[in-house]
Amino acid sequence: MIARFDRLGRRWPAGIVLVAGLALASCTLTDRKPPTAASPAGTGEEVRVFNVRDLLDASPPEARSSKLSELADAAKSVLAMAPASSPPQPRPLPNPEILRSNNTVDRASSSGEVHADERTGSLVVRSTAAGLERVQHLLAEYRAVSGRRQVLLQMQFISADDAALAALKRDVPAAFAGGDPGPGETTTVQLDPHAAAEFLRRANAAGGAKAIASPQLLVNEGQRGSILIGGEVPYVQGFNTVKDNAGNVAYEPTIQYAPFGLSLDVTATADGPGTQTSLQLESRMSKFAGMKEKSSGKTVAGEPLVVQEPQMARSEVKAAATVPVCHTLLVRGLRGSPEWMHAEAPDGGGRADAEAGDQRAILLLVKSGVITPDATN
């Protein structure tokens, strides 16, 4: 499942939240806070992305589009049965994010909206907690025949300046066992529920630390899931030579997209009893600094055709670990600025400078739980 930005700038009220962790109520990743402008008090609505690619893959290729429409229509029907409103849901360290998905089909109901994303094989649903739970149960019924397990990943990205990082090292030394990662290195520490709660409490209290993203991701066991919180910059990578029936030559540009902001790719599997999960993850913080242009070596009417090369600065971490359910994996080594997710891309030429700007440590916390088809009933 991929949740990413499109280039239309659509905004959603509560950021990226993927399928409620109903089976994980006893092990919450973050301390709970009252609603803010990112989750307007009194609406009780949020956005979740439901990965349905496994259901589509079970259908013949020519029937997948209609299957997605069937799922979207079914979700619309159950939303129409949900209460129009519910009490506002508390949000953990809220952060206004943008959710963008390509090739969407909107289906509005009296108590929410459903967007079917054909490219990513997902349903983007905005509704109340009751409506979202009904959609969750609906999809569980579709999956009951397959009996496949899923892994719910609850994540927190925390930006910390040097002072906040020093305070956390002093107050929660167990979270920093093994020392600091060097350039290009990744360190991981596993925290039990008590240690994770204490770490988050201290982070909440630290003036120089803040949550910049709190996504949740539900993936089918063994499959890859991805999230991009930021944007994509289109650029001309090259030109293809084409000829018409008369032999006239033309050049068609090849367009690619360079992602910027915060991204995460993860694959998760569970052991037999579902008491621990094995994670392979990679996260990047990318800054778009500008676009370099050069001649492609081809011309039209004497004018050179120009290709582009995005100038990027990146920091990344890679980790593999087996973590008990409801424990938290703390991943360190990522650096960057929250502005990299939201700033407008600069115009004209530029230079990627990994040392430029207000870079901070980005701490990634990941907690997982295993959901079986009957666990959602």
Side-chain angles (χ1 to χ4, degrees):
M1 207 296 288
I2 304 175
R4 68 171 66 235
F5 288 64
D6 66 11
R7 287 160 292 282
L8 301 180
R10 287 178 285 235
R11 290 184 176 269
W12 298 86
I16 298 177
V17 181
L18 306 178
V19 185
L22 300 179
L24 305 178
S26 61
C27 52
T28 307
L29 177 63
T30 62
D31 295 332
R32 296 292 179 176
K33 299 294 181 182
T36 69
S39 178
T43 65
E45 291 188 340
E46 58 182 280
V47 175
R48 295 181 190 165
V49 179
F50 296 87
N51 174 20
V52 295
R53 182 171 292 280
D54 59 316
L55 300 176
L56 303 181
D57 289 343
S59 303
E62 64 274 9
R64 290 174 184 173
S65 179
S66 60
K67 183 66 173 181
L68 184 60
S69 296
E70 173 192 336
L71 294 173
D73 288 336
K76 176 185 174 182
S77 297
V78 297
L79 286 183
M81 296 185 292
S85 62
S86 64
Q89 301 296 308
R91 305 287 300 166
L93 290 169
N95 171 67
E97 298 164 356
I98 305 172
L99 177 62
R100 306 184 178 186
S101 59
N102 295 327
N103 303 324
T104 58
V105 178
D106 298 353
R107 290 176 168 83
S109 77
S110 60
S111 58
E113 295 179 358
V114 178
H115 305 267
D117 189 329
E118 297 182 7
R119 185 174 66 83
T120 64
S122 59
L123 298 180
V124 185
V125 182
R126 177 187 61 78
S127 185
T128 62
L132 294 171
E133 185 175 350
R134 287 174 183 262
V135 175
Q136 167 77 358
H137 288 310
L138 170 73
L139 297 178
E141 291 176 2
Y142 272 95
R143 291 189 172 100
V145 177
S146 68
R148 297 183 63 181
R149 294 189 299 183
Q150 295 176 303
V151 178
L152 176 67
L153 301 170
Q154 297 173 294
M155 293 164 282
Q156 184 92 279
F157 289 88
I158 298 177
S159 169
D161 61 18
D162 291 341
L165 202 59
L168 288 171
K169 291 178 181 179
R170 181 191 67 237
D171 297 333
V172 199
F176 297 89
D180 293 332
E185 295 180 347
T186 303
T187 62
T188 61
V189 174
Q190 296 188 25
L191 304 176
D192 61 31
H194 174 77
E198 177 65 12
F199 181 89
L200 288 168
R201 187 181 72 83
R202 296 287 185 175
N204 272 317
K210 66 176 181 179
I212 60 174
S214 303
Q216 299 183 42
L217 181 62
L218 185 68
V219 296
N220 293 315
E221 186 177 11
Q223 291 189 347
R224 172 178 171 268
S226 300
I227 290 176
L228 172 64
I229 308 171
E232 292 178 318
V233 180
Y235 66 96
V236 179
Q237 184 185 55
F239 293 89
N240 294 322
T241 303
V242 295
K243 291 184 178 181
D244 60 19
N245 294 333
N248 298 315
V249 175
Y251 300 104
E252 293 182 350
T254 301
I255 306 299
Q256 295 294 333
Y257 298 91
F260 67 88
L262 185 62
S263 65
L264 181 136
D265 297 272
V266 62
T267 303
T269 57
D271 63 354
T275 58
Q276 59 184 13
T277 56
S278 295
L279 306 176
Q280 293 184 339
L281 63 87
E282 181 174 344
S283 184
R284 294 185 183 89
M285 197 74 172
S286 304
K287 173 186 178 181
F288 174 59
M291 195 73 72
K292 182 179 179 180
E293 297 184 345
K294 62 180 180 180
S295 173
S296 66
K298 301 175 180 179
T299 61
V300 173
E303 294 293 329
L305 295 177
V306 174
V307 294
Q308 299 172 308
E309 181 180 348
Q311 304 298 291
M312 310 295 296
R314 294 186 180 91
S315 172
E316 68 177 17
V317 291
K318 296 181 180 180
T322 299
V323 187
V325 167
C326 291
H327 284 54
T328 297
L329 180 68
L330 172 62
V331 183
R332 298 173 56 218
L334 199 63
R335 294 189 63 83
S337 168
E339 295 301 320
W340 293 7
M341 297 188 298
H342 309 293
E344 291 294 329
D347 295 326
R351 182 177 64 90
D353 187 351
E355 302 301 325
D358 178 23
Q359 287 206 39
R360 300 182 173 194
I362 307 296
L363 310 176
L364 168 59
L365 294 95
V366 183
K367 186 179 65 178
S368 61
V370 180
I371 299 178
T372 59
D374 60 351
T376 57
N377 294 327

